[in-house]
Amino acid sequence: MLDAGRHPNIDLMAYSEVESMEGESGAFEIRICRKARFVNEDQCTGCGTCAEKCPIQVSDSFNMGQGTRSAIYSWFAQGIPSTHTIDAKYCRQLNGKKCGICQKVCQADAIDFNQKDKIVNLTVGAVIVAAGYDIFDPSRIPEYRYRDQPNVITSMEFERLLSAGGPTAGHLNRPSDRTVIEEIAVLEKKAKKSEKMLGKYEEKYKMVSERFYRAFQSGEHGDEKDSVKWADKYKAYLEIKSKREALKTRAERFSTAKNLAFIQCVGSRDFRFYQFCSGYCCMHSIKEAIIAHEHEPETRSVIFGMDIRAVGKGFEEYKIRGGNHSNISYHRGRVAEIRGGPDNHPVVIYEDTISQTVKKEAFDMVILATACAPGKSLKKLASVLDAELDEFGFLKTNHLQPVDTTREGIFVCGCAQSPMDIPESVSQASSAASRAVQVLMTYRKVS
Amino acid sequence: MADQIKKENAEEKPRIGVFVCDCGSNIAGHLDCESVAEYASTLPGVVFTKENLYTCSESGIAEIQQSIKEHHLTRVVVASCSPRTHQPLFAGSCAQAGLNPYLFEMVNIRDQCSWVHMGQRENATEKAKNLVRMGVAKSVTLEPQKEIESSLIRKVLVIGGGMAGLSAADAFAAMGIEVILVEKSGALGGLLRKINRLANGEAAIDVISNLIEKVESRSNISVYTGSEVKSIGGYIGNFNMTVSTGDKNIEESAGCVVVATGALPWVPEGLYGYNGEGVITQIELEDRLKTGALNASQIVMIQCAGARTNNREFCSRICCMTAVKNALIIKEYKPDSEIHILYRDMQMYGTEKEKMLWDARGKGIRFHVFDKDKPPDVKNGKVHFFQPLLGETREIPCDLVVLSTPLLPNENARNLARTFRVPVDQNGFFLEAHAKLRPLDFAADGIFLCGSARYPATTAEARSQGIGVASRAAGILFKEKLVTSAIVAGIRDDTCVGCMICLNACPYQAISFNEISNVCEVNVILCKGCGNCAAACPSHSARLKGFMQKQVLAQIRAF
């Protein structure tokens, strides 16, 4: 990424979209909309002070909604370019409220609330589409209860949990447990506020709240205005405290997730959604299980799949090694249902084909290997570029010209063409570069 | 004169900038980066220190460049991760800011410190300080260097004339690069010559013939069939080789080399009663389909025949697709034939292949899973196998058994690997530079690979890789000249005694013995700067730039 960012022949236009294209192979006229960041790209040094001081916290989309980021943000720490961006939807200043803190703290004077979308016109000889894919939304599969069960998560969410730079700094804390810990923090805050309030009464009447409350309950203080209020406040405080203590007792039992289930083909190989195989998910589940085991040697993983498609170089060997050294077992079959269980342990219901019985098993966490869905914006992009999509929703190619789209001079690589893993994407990218150079050279000869 | 003195003074008293990277929590999570940076500022010669969340981020780099200018730094030390991944970035950034890149020094406080001393914060911090002190001490002794430039030949050698090699040759030629295409057998086309039809129904021979015709019609491709590369010498940009055409030897030269030697289907002697008649392989089935010699109507195909076993663990990727493709072809012209496919996992990855699998099921082709530990038994025109889904042993009568055997590397691959000094993996396939990020490159500069020589590939994959490899090599061949790192070894001819110990220590064949002067010499283009020769040389004549004795000793003494 950084190599691309630093290469003298590469002009990166992040946060931009192709609006229209005219012309033909060798000379395309392209109109690109560079969306307003409200931050001047040439001035921003990416220091991050603005993000530190920004008062608005929103859900962090890079971490798949786990954790928060500021309304002014960079997509992730090593992102290229490191220019920050203001999320116009949440920024106070851009929504007519008083703020502008980022502008005050920015030493580079890079904040520009008046920035507008900018149109850039380019003439290019060839176009390469590497627009990637979308992650299938598993809430479309009601029987897996992704929305209802906090500890049923997607592979990408799990990936962020495993990451040292992720929301849990790499610890496999279950989402439901994290919610409880967040609740405890909120209650702590409330209790502190309450204590402060009670302290005022205590000072005024020179009496501790506990003694006052006992006396109040036995009718000693009648119903003077202050007494009633004090009693109400104390009662509320007791409630907060008991709730907090109950949660704390619960939290004592929390440990990181050690018993994991990986469910393959979530949305793939399924006629209700995508009939194709997403190709890479078997491997990323094995990889995630191996990494989880590296973090915590007591981890046990079960991978449920119809076939385990370890079809790349060294992949079958990796799969076997995962089984032998990382406590992974592979279970053939499609999981029928995931239900809720005690203590938020999702229960996986599946058929054990060896004993030919339906079994239920509770896990600490269930990870859904979601399908590689054709990008939502790919359809629009294809129509702008006047290239056809195939029956699966990816850009159409011919197996003898694997990176040529139906439009001359427009090439495709990676998961915009069909689901594929990293080495295949990389070799396809080289292939697309090769085809594009061929076009440019023909064009150069003609002109 | 005054300027001269000023310059020398600057050399005597280097102005060092130290940057300490948190690497997110990778380093800062396990040691105190702030106190390391603070400590660095107290070291002699250090005039500037800075702690960054990620020194490699764009803002971190900008900071280095800015401080080189503002504080007139003459040395930059970054304490972060591994020089293996980040040295080029940091050194290159220094160069952009006007500092000779060889005046940059890197200290590894992640892989060699924070990662190995997790949970020992104080000790890790102390060690990081020691490492930084050593790095700073070494940086003082660094000297500016100049990168090495060499010429190159805008020509490429492609070995192997199958789908991958032909695609590569064609792509090179289309980019205006001259190609020498060497094919061992008497004709171009490779494995596709033996194939009946492709998955989309096209006749394989038509597809490959079209491509051969295109390649042969190109004026900038020289094709040598029935030929082999006997020997190769030289290095990136300047390879020279002897091509034997059987009756004569031809001397050729090229700037880059592409290995596209393909793979061959394994012949399963002794497995499942293989006899080439009633029990055949997929490639033999292709031949019967092509010639119309197939007369069986009850067919059992057995997958993973000789693959994914204890001795041969790898999955050959394309055999499931081949079996389903052939089953569909048979069903098409003999709809009443009964076909059973016995499998362990149907490897029908991606869009089209999975669709083929659904189609095959819809057309009545039967799929049965079997266990690795309980393989089928082929006897007297029947196949017996244990069906774990039903928990019972089944028996299928058949008049033909087809074994899906894996593609194995060409038997010549190991010899070729030796000739080209490139590695092969445990299965004998050529080993790429990086399994994920550099699938088409060898670690050795200027040599590339594609197609089934790397790992079994479908027609489309071989084609894509062949086209792709052309841009990898063209990126080098389009250059005016080659520029390589100055961190190379040199041998002092006044102290070298010609013992030739370094010759054997060098893994890159970069050292040769000069018969006239009786000393060893380094080819700086081939030298990768590993330092083996410098360590092995008994007379300290072999020395590696950037790791000279005084530099390493300064580092050690600072400990």
Side-chain angles (χ1 to χ4, degrees), chain A residues 45 309 313 332 399-400, chain B residues 59 200 344 346 430 463:
Chain A
T45 62
R309 293 186 168 165
K313 186 172 184 172
R332 185 182 293 279
H399 71 291
L400 288 178
Chain B
S59 57
N200 69 346
R344 284 169 49 201
M346 282 312 289
F430 286 104
R463 174 125 180 91

Side-chain angles (χ1 to χ4, degrees), chain B residues 335-350:
Chain B
D336 56 344
S337 49
E338 199 180 295
I339 307 171
H340 298 265
I341 297 181
L342 273 48
Y343 73 100
R344 284 169 49 201
D345 292 279
M346 282 312 289
Q347 310 290 36
M348 305 296 278
Y349 57 95

Side-chain angles (χ1 to χ4, degrees), chain A residues 245-311:
Chain A
E245 290 315 307
L247 287 179
K248 269 192 171 167
T249 324
R250 244 177 91 188
E252 274 167 20
R253 291 202 312 272
F254 290 168
S255 72
T256 51
K258 295 188 186 78
N259 194 12
L260 310 174
F262 291 84
I263 317 282
Q264 299 309 114
C265 301
V266 176
S268 317
R269 302 183 72 191
D270 187 332
F271 271 92
R272 294 175 296 174
F273 310 104
Y274 300 111
Q275 89 164 60
F276 56 77
C277 160
S278 296
Y280 54 69
C281 351
C282 285
M283 291 316 293
H284 74 50
S285 289
I286 298 172
K287 179 204 75 175
E288 287 177 344
I290 288 179
I291 294 177
H293 183 266
E294 272 169 18
H295 279 227
E296 171 57 78
E298 282 168 39
T299 305
R300 158 195 183 252
S301 304
V302 184
I303 300 181
F304 294 90
M306 294 186 284
D307 299 287
I308 299 298
R309 293 186 168 165
V311 274

